[in-house]
Amino acid sequence: MPPSCFGCLSQYTHHHLVVFLLTFFSYVLLHASRKTFSNVKVSISAQWTPSVQNDSAPALSPGETWEDNHLFADEKQATLFLGALDSIFLFSYAVGLYLSGVIGDRVNLRYVLCFGLCGSAVVEFLFGTLTEWLHIYNAYLYCGLWVLNGLLQSAVWPCVVAVMGNWFGKTGRGFVFGLWSACASVGNILGAFLASSVLQYGYEYAFLVTSVVQFAGGVVVFFGLLTSPKEVGLHLESETGLSPVETDKDSHRPLMSDEEEEEGKTYSRQCRSAQPLDELVDEPSQAIGFFQAFCLPGVLLYSLAYACLKLVNYSFFFWLPFYLSNNYGWKEAEADRLSMWYDVGGIVGGTLQGLISDFMGKRAPVLVFSLAMAMGALVGYSRSPNDKLINAVILATTGFFIGGPSNMISSAISADLGRQDILRGSQEALATVTGIVDGTGSIGAAVGQYLVSLIESSLGWMSVFYFFIVMTGGSVVFITPLLVRELRDMWRDRQALRHQL
């Protein structure tokens, strides 16, 4: 990484740290509750089918109890419905992302974020806990609650990315956002840990614990989050480095320079002396339209690439514990804990690959290389033996090469796209662009979850992994034009530098 990327750390204040942590843990809690559903699929499937006697059922008239409670005749039908629920959630989540991104650029981000966190927590409590306590088993009710859950959860990601984009500029964004985007993987690990800890008491308690913690997190965010440097009187330009860092020699200086006493008596005086009037914080910015954002350079291609990649990433998210338990015969709690290694690989991959992209000053070459390696990792994992250690190692490697690029596109690259130079007159585009990228990705993931259950029930898990390899290759295809453009820019820069020498 260039020295300037480390030098930009001197700009950061305690406000940056608080914003980083609050947005990070907001999505950690959301993903922990989302992960709960995938971690308890085996228990839910057993509850919805009459194949296994439920320990919590009354001792009297067990046949009548099952006749009243079970939803499906066998495990295969239950598996298909679980896949359908995943698709329903992701379709509603995708639609909500398109809407919440636009809303987030027009309404206070803190209000939208807290509404999504707290509302989703209530719905998850109703879906997983209250229905089980009251012994209400109804497929239409489950579908309706999961549609509502997807819409509410969609409000969170565009908001947290927009808040981070407001506070952290392009300098070092690959590393900062790569580290920050580990929030989803950390949430998966936390969710797996919480679910496996209380699963012995019933899957309803897994939903109870995560929903209560998520609701509490929403309350903390409401009272503690600052969505923009404007709220504490700081200058947006200096705080985030929205001007092109490569051409602005002052963008890496500390917020207050000891060597500029005349200009730095007050922070606002320094801002006014250094920046044009139309770039001051008090200047209102107009939100960009949805279709304008969709037509921005790179948005469409990255959205399509993310649709293919998120399909694979979320298939691991939703189906990995189920796959480990059914394919290898491991206990559900053991499968939940082993699935954490995929997220560990994603955390390391997102951070390290973001750091490398900062070194290079380009994102696409890192993505294409990682995705090419991911296809090889998928082939290896599909043939993993029934050994937990070997499985964990290959799983972490797969998470590194799939989760890393997924984290980069959904966070750092979305922020890059929403802060392009052509948007200088309309800064409020970050949440909209993030919603478009993640929404398109969620549509791909939604289609994929139903296809996974369909392919698995018809052809087996090996065919599912072949499907993953094809989709990963599709991501490479969509990113290739961006790779060619970035390599051409790197060549031109090198030629220009050679002429200067």
Side-chain angles (χ1 to χ4, degrees):
M1 183 186 299
S4 57
C5 293
F6 287 113
C8 73
L9 295 177
S10 60
Q11 296 186 38
Y12 299 154
T13 66
H14 70 280
H15 295 299
H16 289 84
L17 178 61
V18 172
V19 167
F20 185 99
L21 293 177
L22 282 179
T23 53
F24 183 91
F25 283 105
S26 295
Y27 209 67
V28 165
L29 297 179
L30 187 80
H31 243 262
S33 62
R34 190 185 300 177
K35 180 68 172 175
T36 299
F37 180 64
S38 64
N39 285 337
V40 300
K41 276 184 174 178
V42 174
S43 296
I44 293 179
S45 178
Q47 179 72 353
W48 289 351
T49 56
S51 56
V52 179
Q53 174 64 43
N54 182 12
D55 293 335
S56 63
L60 298 176
S61 303
E64 295 180 6
T65 300
W66 278 113
E67 185 66 26
D68 293 338
N69 289 353
H70 83 267
L71 287 175
F72 305 102
D74 53 40
E75 183 181 345
K76 182 178 180 180
Q77 293 183 14
T79 301
L80 287 174
F81 183 69
L82 289 172
L85 280 179
D86 289 338
S87 296
I88 287 171
F89 170 82
L90 287 171
F91 270 122
S92 60
Y93 183 70
V95 173
L97 281 168
Y98 289 126
L99 299 175
S100 60
V102 176
I103 295 172
D105 281 332
R106 290 162 173 79
V107 181
N108 190 302
L109 291 168
R110 183 163 53 91
Y111 298 157
V112 180
L113 175 58
C114 295
F115 178 76
L117 284 171
C118 295
S120 171
V122 172
V123 171
E124 287 162 358
F125 171 78
L126 296 175
F127 177 92
T129 304
L130 191 62
T131 55
E132 177 62 22
W133 283 350
L134 300 179
H135 300 290
I136 300 174
Y137 305 97
N138 186 282
Y140 296 105
L141 176 62
Y142 287 137
C143 291
L145 288 174
W146 231 223
V147 168
L148 182 58
N149 189 36
L151 292 173
L152 290 168
Q153 288 203 14
S154 68
V156 177
W157 184 251
C159 292
V160 292
V161 173
V163 172
M164 283 291 292
N166 289 339
W167 281 93
F168 295 89
K170 187 175 181 180
T171 304
R173 179 178 288 160
F175 173 71
V176 173
F177 274 74
L179 183 63
W180 176 82
S181 64
C183 56
S185 297
V186 173
N188 293 343
I189 295 172
L190 178 62
F193 174 77
L194 292 176
S196 62
S197 298
V198 300
L199 193 57
Q200 57 183 320
Y201 305 107
Y203 73 82
E204 64 271 26
Y205 291 98
F207 281 101
L208 175 64
V209 171
T210 53
S211 61
V212 169
V213 173
Q214 179 182 322
F215 189 91
V219 174
V220 172
V221 167
F222 182 81
F223 290 104
L225 181 64
L226 297 172
T227 61
S228 171
K230 301 176 185 179
E231 298 185 16
V232 287
L234 298 178
H235 190 275
L236 189 62
E237 185 79 14
S238 295
E239 281 288 326
T240 60
L242 295 180
S243 59
V245 256
E246 294 82 6
T247 60
D248 184 2
K249 65 181 181 180
D250 296 327
S251 63
H252 309 305
R253 293 186 302 180
L255 292 176
M256 292 294 292
S257 175
D258 295 335
E259 299 175 357
E260 298 178 319
E261 296 181 358
E262 290 299 323
E263 293 183 4
K265 291 182 180 178
T266 64
Y267 183 72
S268 60
R269 185 182 302 174
Q270 181 191 30
C271 296
R272 287 178 170 81
S273 64
Q275 302 294 338
L277 182 62
D278 61 353
E279 294 178 0
L280 296 179
V281 292
D282 295 331
E283 180 70 19
S285 54
Q286 185 177 1
I288 193 173
F290 177 84
F291 292 104
Q292 289 176 292
F294 216 107
C295 294
L296 289 173
V299 171
L300 178 59
L301 289 176
Y302 272 122
S303 297
L304 294 175
Y306 193 50
C308 297
L309 183 57
K310 192 169 185 177
L311 183 155
V312 179
N313 195 43
Y314 262 53
S315 295
F316 274 88
F317 171 79
F318 282 117
W319 290 101
L320 183 56
F322 187 86
Y323 165 75
L324 294 174
S325 180
N326 281 267
N327 194 58
Y328 296 106
W330 298 336
K331 294 181 180 179
E332 190 175 15
E334 294 176 342
D336 289 345
R337 294 189 184 97
L338 188 64
S339 68
M340 296 179 189
W341 287 104
Y342 179 83
D343 297 298
V344 171
I347 292 172
V348 178
T351 305
L352 188 58
Q353 291 170 35
L355 185 64
I356 294 173
S357 71
D358 282 339
F359 265 116
M360 298 180 63
K362 305 294 180 182
R363 312 284 191 207
V366 179
L367 290 177
V368 170
F369 175 80
S370 180
L371 291 173
M373 298 297 294
M375 289 188 281
L378 285 169
V379 173
Y381 189 68
S382 67
R383 292 165 171 78
S384 175
N386 192 347
D387 183 278
K388 294 179 182 178
L389 178 59
I390 297 176
N391 193 288
V393 172
I394 303 177
L395 185 59
T397 304
T398 306
F400 181 93
F401 290 117
I402 293 178
S406 179
N407 291 344
M408 282 184 62
I409 294 176
S410 64
S411 57
I413 290 176
S414 294
D416 290 342
L417 296 173
R419 293 296 192 194
Q420 299 184 55
D421 293 341
I422 60 176
L423 294 173
R424 292 297 299 278
S426 177
Q427 300 288 3
E428 302 300 331
L430 212 162
T432 302
V433 170
T434 302
I436 290 172
V437 174
D438 203 23
T440 307
S442 296
I443 291 177
V447 174
Q449 299 325 296
Y450 185 74
L451 290 178
V452 166
S453 62
L454 192 62
I455 294 172
E456 188 277 329
S457 61
S458 303
L459 302 174
W461 283 108
M462 186 61 68
S463 297
V464 172
F465 281 101
Y466 290 145
F467 176 58
F468 291 163
I469 294 169
V470 171
M471 289 296 101
T472 305
S475 296
V476 175
V477 170
F478 288 119
I479 297 174
T480 297
L482 301 169
L483 171 66
V484 172
R485 187 179 65 186
E486 291 189 2
L487 292 177
R488 185 174 62 244
D489 292 341
M490 292 174 64
W491 173 260
R492 289 176 179 174
D493 293 342
R494 180 172 298 181
Q495 292 295 106
L497 181 61
R498 182 176 300 174
H499 286 309
Q500 291 178 1
L501 296 177

